[in-house]
Amino acid sequence: MDIDQLRTFDRIARDLSFTKAAARLNVTQATVSMRMRVLEDFLGVQLFTRGRKVALTDQGMTFLPYARGILNSVQEGREALRRVERGRITVASLRSMVTPLISESLLRFQERYKEVDVIVREGRHNHVTGMLHDRVAELGIITWPNLDPLVPEIYPIVVMREPVPLVLAPHLAARLPADPGLADVLALVPRVISLRWWQVDPEGATALVRRAQTSVEIPTGPARRLALAGEGLGFFVRSTVRHELARGELVEIKPRDFMPLHRDIAIVALSKSAFERDMVRDFAREVAKEAAKLGTILEDRLND
């Protein structure tokens, strides 16, 4: 079985004609027939019924998606090789960090590396570490420290601490006393909007959820909508609500008996050697510039 046989099989399945398939593939009809005989002999089944009309057999219908999967994989492999020739960098990031850390970084990076392909994938922490482990990505943006036991060895080059403020709709915040305690807040707003910003929730976050009359755990978009509607007290990483805070659509509150929350983010690779490639190091530098705008840089090894 070879690629020409699979490509011919796919073409006949599309045209339902050996003659049309031969014309589209620019080969003789005898070549098309020979390829199908060899493929059918290899598989031990008949793929088409021949006669006045050509049709896929049940076996042909069953095999068709697998043949197309192989052809697609070959094409993807060829594209990947072409990208490597031009230059390529693949980044895996926490979903919440793609817009605040990568969007502007990518614009600046591509001004310098116009011919380089950049692929950005997103997911939860374990998805990102899995992509690093499988070499699907060479650069990652994850929560720190990494607690994934399946990928214990990850090298951080920049670590940033971002605040996770408690936010309320302004009309609710205006009803709080001047120096509110957490009990005052929860008496006014009994629902806590909980989001999984961490690999393991800090005690402050879990305690807040326990003390609330009700809580809801939903994705960031609907969670933000609830907070804007005044339907709950939420703790959000600042980058996800910075525009709402700037416009006064949400207000940060600081109960006197509640320790501020934060989340640490790291730009990482499987080893330090990944940053020896100029383009990887330069992309990390651009991301680090955005990280410095969002929070406090705790560690920076870019110049080591």
Side-chain angles (χ1 to χ4, degrees):
M1 183 171 68
D2 61 30
I3 295 301
D4 285 337
Q5 292 165 9
L6 294 177
R7 189 176 290 115
T8 301
F9 169 57
D10 175 59
R11 191 69 259 172
I12 299 170
R14 292 175 187 275
D15 295 331
L16 294 179
S17 167
F18 280 58
T19 303
K20 290 180 181 179
R24 288 181 183 274
L25 295 171
N26 197 29
V27 296
T28 65
Q29 186 169 342
T31 299
V32 168
S33 297
M34 179 192 67
R35 288 176 180 174
M36 285 305 92
R37 282 198 301 272
V38 173
L39 181 59
E40 289 175 329
D41 287 346
F42 176 82
L43 296 173
V45 298
Q46 184 176 344
L47 298 172
F48 295 101
T49 58
R50 278 85 159 170
R52 292 182 60 187
K53 291 184 179 181
V54 174
L56 282 163
T57 63
D58 289 345
Q59 293 86 347
M61 288 289 292
T62 300
F63 182 63
L64 183 60
Y66 295 97
R68 288 176 173 169
I70 293 170
L71 292 171
N72 288 337
S73 294
V74 170
Q75 183 61 30
E76 289 172 3
R78 287 176 173 169
E79 289 296 325
L81 290 174
R82 283 196 284 268
R83 287 196 296 266
V84 168
E85 289 176 359
R86 296 197 303 267
R88 181 186 67 174
I89 179 171
T90 304
V91 183
S93 172
L94 293 172
R95 188 170 290 113
S96 61
M97 290 287 99
V98 171
T99 297
L101 286 187
I102 293 181
S103 297
E104 295 301 319
S105 304
L106 181 58
L107 290 175
R108 294 193 299 269
F109 177 81
Q110 293 200 312
E111 279 297 310
R112 296 181 57 194
Y113 294 90
K114 295 183 183 297
E115 301 302 318
V116 172
D117 290 334
V118 179
I119 300 170
V120 178
R121 306 188 188 279
E122 63 178 17
R124 290 184 175 272
H125 178 95
N126 63 313
H127 299 146
V128 176
T129 55
M131 285 186 273
L132 289 168
H133 179 263
D134 294 340
R135 271 58 175 192
V136 174
E138 53 202 314
L139 194 65
I141 300 173
I142 64 172
T143 50
W144 194 254
N146 172 46
L147 303 178
D148 188 341
L150 299 179
V151 193
E153 298 299 327
I154 286 183
Y155 180 82
I157 197 166
V158 174
V159 180
M160 178 267 288
R161 175 162 293 175
E162 182 179 9
V164 182
L166 295 178
V167 299
L168 269 181
H171 71 276
L172 293 175
R175 293 167 55 188
L176 291 172
D179 184 25
L182 193 54
D184 299 318
V185 177
L186 293 177
L188 177 65
V189 190
R191 178 186 292 123
V192 168
I193 304 166
S194 170
L195 293 101
R196 302 302 301 270
W197 301 120
W198 304 272
Q199 295 172 70
V200 177
D201 290 342
E203 174 57 28
T206 55
L208 179 60
V209 171
R210 285 198 303 267
R211 290 184 61 178
Q213 291 183 31
T214 61
S215 67
V216 58
E217 183 178 318
I218 52 178
T220 307
R224 188 191 296 110
R225 181 69 185 89
L226 279 181
L228 287 167
E231 292 297 325
L233 165 71
F235 46 88
F236 293 78
V237 291
R238 185 177 295 279
S239 56
T240 62
V241 290
R242 56 180 172 168
H243 299 304
E244 289 80 3
L245 289 170
R247 292 192 295 261
E249 296 168 351
L250 290 173
V251 176
E252 180 178 358
I253 61 170
K254 299 179 181 180
R256 62 178 181 272
D257 52 351
F258 186 79
M259 289 293 292
L261 299 171
H262 65 265
R263 179 176 72 164
D264 292 347
I265 293 292
I267 306 169
V268 302
L270 280 183
S271 70
K272 185 178 180 180
S273 63
F275 296 101
E276 293 173 0
R277 291 179 64 203
D278 288 343
M279 72 173 67
V280 174
R281 196 174 189 88
D282 287 348
F283 193 91
R285 283 197 177 98
E286 297 301 337
V287 175
K289 291 177 185 176
E290 297 304 311
K293 298 175 185 178
L294 295 180
T296 302
I297 302 299
L298 302 181
E299 189 171 353
D300 186 346
R301 301 180 183 178
L302 279 168
N303 297 315
D304 288 357

Coordinates of all heavy atoms in Angstrom, one line a residue, residues 78-89 109 113-119 277 279:
R78 N 4.1 17.4 5.3 CA 4.7 18.2 4.3 C 4.7 19.7 4.7 O 5.7 20.4 4.6 CB 4.1 18.0 3.0 CG 4.4 16.6 2.3 CD 3.7 16.4 1.0 NE 4.1 15.2 0.3 CZ 3.4 14.7 -0.7 NH1 2.4 15.3 -1.2 NH2 3.9 13.6 -1.3
E79 N 3.5 20.1 5.2 CA 3.4 21.5 5.6 C 4.3 21.8 6.7 O 4.9 22.9 6.8 CB 1.9 21.9 5.9 CG 1.0 21.9 4.7 CD 1.3 23.0 3.8 OE1 1.8 24.1 4.2 OE2 1.2 22.8 2.6
A80 N 4.4 20.9 7.7 CA 5.3 21.1 8.8 C 6.7 21.3 8.4 O 7.5 22.1 8.9 CB 5.1 20.0 9.8
L81 N 7.1 20.4 7.5 CA 8.5 20.5 7.0 C 8.8 21.8 6.3 O 9.8 22.4 6.4 CB 8.8 19.3 6.0 CG 8.9 18.0 6.7 CD1 9.0 16.9 5.6 CD2 10.0 17.9 7.7
R82 N 7.8 22.3 5.5 CA 7.9 23.6 4.8 C 8.0 24.7 5.9 O 8.8 25.7 5.7 CB 6.8 23.9 3.9 CG 6.9 23.1 2.6 CD 6.0 23.7 1.5 NE 4.6 23.3 1.7 CZ 4.1 22.2 1.2 NH1 4.8 21.4 0.5 NH2 2.8 21.9 1.5
R83 N 7.2 24.6 7.0 CA 7.3 25.7 8.0 C 8.6 25.7 8.7 O 9.2 26.7 9.0 CB 6.2 25.4 9.0 CG 4.8 25.8 8.5 CD 3.8 25.9 9.6 NE 3.6 24.7 10.3 CZ 2.6 23.8 10.1 NH1 1.8 24.0 9.1 NH2 2.5 22.7 10.8
V84 N 9.2 24.5 8.9 CA 10.5 24.4 9.5 C 11.6 25.1 8.7 O 12.5 25.7 9.2 CB 10.9 22.9 9.8 CG1 12.4 22.8 10.2 CG2 10.0 22.4 10.9
E85 N 11.5 24.9 7.4 CA 12.4 25.5 6.5 C 12.3 27.0 6.6 O 13.4 27.7 6.5 CB 12.1 25.1 5.0 CG 12.5 23.6 4.8 CD 12.1 23.2 3.3 OE1 11.6 24.1 2.6 OE2 12.4 22.0 3.0
R86 N 11.1 27.6 6.7 CA 11.0 29.0 6.9 C 11.3 29.5 8.3 O 11.7 30.6 8.5 CB 9.5 29.4 6.6 CG 9.1 29.2 5.1 CD 7.9 30.0 4.8 NE 6.8 29.7 5.7 CZ 5.8 28.8 5.4 NH1 5.9 28.0 4.4 NH2 4.9 28.6 6.3
G87 N 11.1 28.6 9.3 CA 11.2 29.0 10.7 C 9.9 28.9 11.3 O 8.9 29.3 10.8
R88 N 9.8 28.3 12.5 CA 8.5 28.1 13.2 C 8.7 28.1 14.7 O 9.8 27.7 15.2 CB 7.9 26.8 12.8 CG 6.5 26.5 13.4 CD 6.0 25.2 13.1 NE 6.8 24.1 13.7 CZ 6.5 22.8 13.6 NH1 5.5 22.4 13.0 NH2 7.3 21.9 14.2
I89 N 7.8 28.7 15.4 CA 7.8 28.6 16.9 C 6.3 28.3 17.3 O 5.4 28.8 16.8 CB 8.2 29.9 17.5 CG1 8.2 29.8 19.0 CG2 7.4 31.1 17.0 CD1 8.9 31.0 19.7
F109 N 6.7 40.7 17.6 CA 7.6 39.6 17.2 C 7.6 39.5 15.7 O 8.6 39.3 15.0 CB 7.2 38.3 17.9 CG 8.0 37.1 17.4 CD1 9.2 36.8 18.0 CD2 7.5 36.2 16.5 CE1 10.0 35.7 17.6 CE2 8.2 35.1 16.1 CZ 9.5 34.9 16.7
Y113 N 10.3 39.1 12.7 CA 10.5 37.8 12.1 C 9.3 37.5 11.1 O 8.4 36.7 11.4 CB 10.5 36.7 13.1 CG 11.7 36.7 14.0 CD1 11.7 37.4 15.2 CD2 12.8 35.9 13.7 CE1 12.8 37.4 16.1 CE2 13.9 35.9 14.6 CZ 13.9 36.7 15.7 OH 15.0 36.7 16.6
K114 N 9.3 38.3 10.0 CA 8.2 38.2 9.1 C 8.0 36.9 8.4 O 6.9 36.6 8.0 CB 8.4 39.3 8.0 CG 8.3 40.7 8.6 CD 8.4 41.8 7.5 CE 8.5 43.2 8.1 NZ 7.3 43.5 8.8
E115 N 9.0 36.1 8.3 CA 8.9 34.8 7.6 C 8.7 33.6 8.5 O 8.6 32.5 8.0 CB 10.2 34.6 6.7 CG 10.5 35.7 5.7 CD 9.3 35.8 4.7 OE1 8.8 34.8 4.3 OE2 9.0 37.0 4.4
V116 N 8.6 33.9 9.8 CA 8.5 32.8 10.8 C 7.0 32.5 11.0 O 6.2 33.4 11.3 CB 9.2 33.2 12.1 CG1 8.9 32.1 13.2 CG2 10.7 33.3 11.9
D117 N 6.7 31.2 11.0 CA 5.3 30.8 11.4 C 5.2 30.7 12.9 O 6.1 30.1 13.5 CB 5.0 29.4 10.8 CG 4.9 29.5 9.3 OD1 4.5 30.5 8.7 OD2 5.1 28.4 8.6
V118 N 4.2 31.3 13.4 CA 3.9 31.2 14.9 C 2.6 30.4 15.1 O 1.5 30.8 14.5 CB 3.8 32.6 15.5 CG1 3.5 32.5 17.0 CG2 5.1 33.3 15.3
I119 N 2.6 29.4 15.9 CA 1.4 28.6 16.2 C 1.1 28.8 17.7 O 2.0 28.5 18.5 CB 1.6 27.1 15.8 CG1 1.9 27.0 14.3 CG2 0.4 26.3 16.2 CD1 2.4 25.6 13.9
R277 N 17.7 29.1 21.1 CA 17.2 29.6 19.7 C 16.8 31.0 19.8 O 16.0 31.4 20.7 CB 16.1 28.7 19.3 CG 16.4 27.3 18.9 CD 15.1 26.6 18.5 NE 14.6 27.1 17.2 CZ 13.3 27.0 16.9 NH1 12.5 26.4 17.7 NH2 12.9 27.5 15.7
M279 N 14.9 33.0 18.1 CA 13.5 33.3 17.9 C 12.7 33.0 19.1 O 11.8 33.7 19.5 CB 12.9 32.7 16.6 CG 12.7 31.2 16.7 SD 11.8 30.6 15.2 CE 13.0 30.9 13.9

